[in-house]
């Protein structure tokens, strides 16, 4: 069996995070500038079931069978084996690397799952179709997120901008113009699962208040869809900033995220917001090319531990 390499991009949510968990729409785009990669090498001398996992980013070096039965990698590889009617995978080593920051709202967990599904199914000689890849990745998202909407696995599987509503068919968006984004990391890791659970409790206690907020967010998402399809980037920028203000009201921003949003806007971004679950992780700014470098520099000088620019192509 030859060596196999596979990859999956990061993602960012343009509008609608959190609301999307409750059936409201959200828009997400792939971020190909950051990637999860998987390299699989057959071990012809090993016996069936001897699978070695090497994931330096999470300090994991272990035989698959030595991982706890509840470990997401173990569950994922079991699901893939079942999919192929195999009791055990052929002996191999699976190396997982990623340039997507962990627990930072850029889809690192989903990207790693998807790169593994694509890599292992190719290794077994039958690359799985996107629908299957997406469905399996969603099962693993439940372990990472508790009650995930499914937007992360969808945008990363299909590598296209999506308008996503839980339970509906995924709609792919055709952008009229490319988007120049600057992505800046607060350096604070935040567990999506915990934040989503906290919001869930709050929604149960004060349903009217939160659904009212989600409806306002969903109006922004629908307007943003129109702005994306018409190439109205100035209006899109304003919508993103408005979405940030509603996420502040929801209680998922943080002083560090607010600071990065302020810096980006002050330096001339069309709009800026936190992206993903919030509290930490990343901020995104929609920018024009002429101010992109200045914004990037200023973010790094004013609190971002890392920042990069990314173009979402049409
Ligand atoms: O994984 P994150 O941090 O990008 O969060 C995903 C977005 C949420 O709406 C908060 C959760 C979800 O499952 O949609």
């Amino acid at each position: 069996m030859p060596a196999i390499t596979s990859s999956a991009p990061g993602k960012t949510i343009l509008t609608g995070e959190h609301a999307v968990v409750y059936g409201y729409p959200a828009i997400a785009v792939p971020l190909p500038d950051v990637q999860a990669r998987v390299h699989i090498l057959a071990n012809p001398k090993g016996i069936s079931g001897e699978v070695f996992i090497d994931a330096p980013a999470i300090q994991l070096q272990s035989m698959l069978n030595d991982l706890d039965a509840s470990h997401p990698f173990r569950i994922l590889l079991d699901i893939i084996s079942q999919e192929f009617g195999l009791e055990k995978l052929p002996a191999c080593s699976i190396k997982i690397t990623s340039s997507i920051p962990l627990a930072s709202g850029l889809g690192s967990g989903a990207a790693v799952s998807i790169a593994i599904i694509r890599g292992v199914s190719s290794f077994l000689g039958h690359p799985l179709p996107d629908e299957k890849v997406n469905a399996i990745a969603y099962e693993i998202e439940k372990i990472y997120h508790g009650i995930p909407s499914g937007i992360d696995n969808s945008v990363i599987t299909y590598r296209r901008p999506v308008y996503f509503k839980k339970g509906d068919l995924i709609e792919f968006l055709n952008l009229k113009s490319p988007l120049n984004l600057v992505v800046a990391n607060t350096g604070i890791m935040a567990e999506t699962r915990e934040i989503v659970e906290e919001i869930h409790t709050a929604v149960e206690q004060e349903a009217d208040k939160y659904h009212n907020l989600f409806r306002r967010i969903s109006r922004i998402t629908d307007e943003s869809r129109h702005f994306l399809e018409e190439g109205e980037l100035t209006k899109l920028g304003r919508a993103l900033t408005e979405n940030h203000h509603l996420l502040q009201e929801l209680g998922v921003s943080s002083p560090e995220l607010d600071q990065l949003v302020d810096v980006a806007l002050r330096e001339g971004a069309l709009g800026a917001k936190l992206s993903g679950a919030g509290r930490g992780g990343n901020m995104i700014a929609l920018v024009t090319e002429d101010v992109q470098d200045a914004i990037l520099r200023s973010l790094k000088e004013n609190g971002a531990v890392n920042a990069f620019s990314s173009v979402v192509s049409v």
Side-chain angles (χ1 to χ4, degrees):
M1 256 176 253
I4 294 284
T5 301
S6 62
S7 64
K11 70 96 214 330
T12 191
I13 296 182
L14 286 187
T15 65
E17 50 273 270
H18 287 291
V20 69
V21 174
Y22 299 89
Y24 298 91
I27 296 172
V29 296
L31 281 183
D33 299 80
V34 283
Q35 296 267 343
R37 288 180 205 283
V38 166
H39 186 72
I40 305 177
L41 203 58
N43 175 6
K45 291 192 186 136
I47 53 170
S48 193
E50 281 183 353
V51 175
F52 181 68
I53 310 270
D54 181 12
I58 53 168
Q59 289 89 40
L60 177 74
Q61 279 202 323
S62 170
M63 295 305 291
L64 181 62
N65 287 340
D66 292 337
L67 291 180
D68 197 88
S70 63
H71 195 288
F73 288 169
R74 181 130 180 216
I75 297 174
L76 176 56
L77 289 163
D78 279 350
I79 296 177
I80 300 170
S81 306
Q82 278 162 24
E83 185 63 36
F84 286 91
L86 294 172
E87 225 169 86
K88 291 172 179 174
L89 289 173
C92 64
S93 66
I94 302 179
K95 178 153 187 164
I96 302 157
T97 55
S98 177
S99 57
I100 309 172
L102 289 170
S104 304
L106 299 185
S108 115
V112 165
S113 297
I114 288 164
I116 293 175
I117 300 164
R118 291 201 192 284
V120 174
S121 63
S122 298
F123 179 69
L124 295 172
H126 298 282
L128 288 169
D130 285 344
E131 296 68 34
K132 204 71 195 171
V133 171
N134 196 24
I136 297 176
Y138 183 59
E139 289 308 307
I140 305 305
E141 284 293 280
K142 288 184 195 163
I143 303 172
Y144 287 123
H145 283 195
I147 43 166
S149 62
I151 191 168
D152 282 18
N153 46 283
S154 300
V155 66
I156 293 172
T157 296
Y158 293 99
R159 290 172 268 210
R160 291 179 59 187
V162 296
Y163 175 92
F164 181 91
K165 221 169 164 182
K166 209 171 175 174
D168 281 7
L169 281 181
I170 302 163
E171 293 186 58
F172 298 108
L173 296 179
N174 291 315
L175 309 191
K176 185 135 184 214
S177 21
L179 303 179
N180 288 300
L181 297 179
V182 170
V183 182
N185 196 343
T186 59
I188 299 166
M189 299 212 326
E191 286 301 331
T192 298
R193 187 189 183 98
E194 282 166 25
I195 304 165
V196 168
E197 273 171 16
E198 194 189 305
I199 298 296
H200 190 245
T201 307
V203 172
E204 277 185 338
Q205 283 165 358
E206 291 183 273
D208 286 354
K209 173 182 159 184
Y210 285 97
H211 280 281
N212 185 34
L213 259 177
F214 295 150
R215 272 192 293 276
R216 289 163 68 197
I217 291 174
S218 95
R219 273 198 290 277
I220 291 174
T221 295
D222 285 334
E223 284 165 12
S224 299
R225 175 188 186 151
H226 173 79
F227 299 148
L228 283 164
E229 289 173 337
E230 296 303 320
E232 298 190 51
L233 299 189
T234 306
K235 289 182 181 165
L236 177 65
R238 260 188 245 127
L240 299 190
T241 307
E242 213 184 309
N243 193 168
H244 182 70
H245 293 146
L246 294 175
L247 290 164
Q248 285 175 318
E249 271 191 56
L250 190 62
V252 295
S253 193
S254 69
E256 295 82 2
L257 283 163
D258 292 344
Q259 148 103 349
L260 295 181
V261 166
D262 290 346
V263 170
L265 293 176
R266 194 177 66 215
E267 296 290 338
L270 298 174
K273 67 183 276 288
L274 72 84
S275 182
R279 293 280 160 74
N282 279 274
M283 181 244 30
I284 54 167
L286 179 67
V287 303
T288 49
E289 265 179 275
D290 53 329
V291 290
Q292 181 166 314
D293 288 345
I295 292 178
L296 206 50
R297 214 174 22 248
S298 195
L299 284 165
K300 285 181 184 165
E301 285 166 5
N302 290 282
V305 297
N306 187 24
F308 61 93
S309 39
S310 189
V311 180
V312 183
S313 43
V314 292

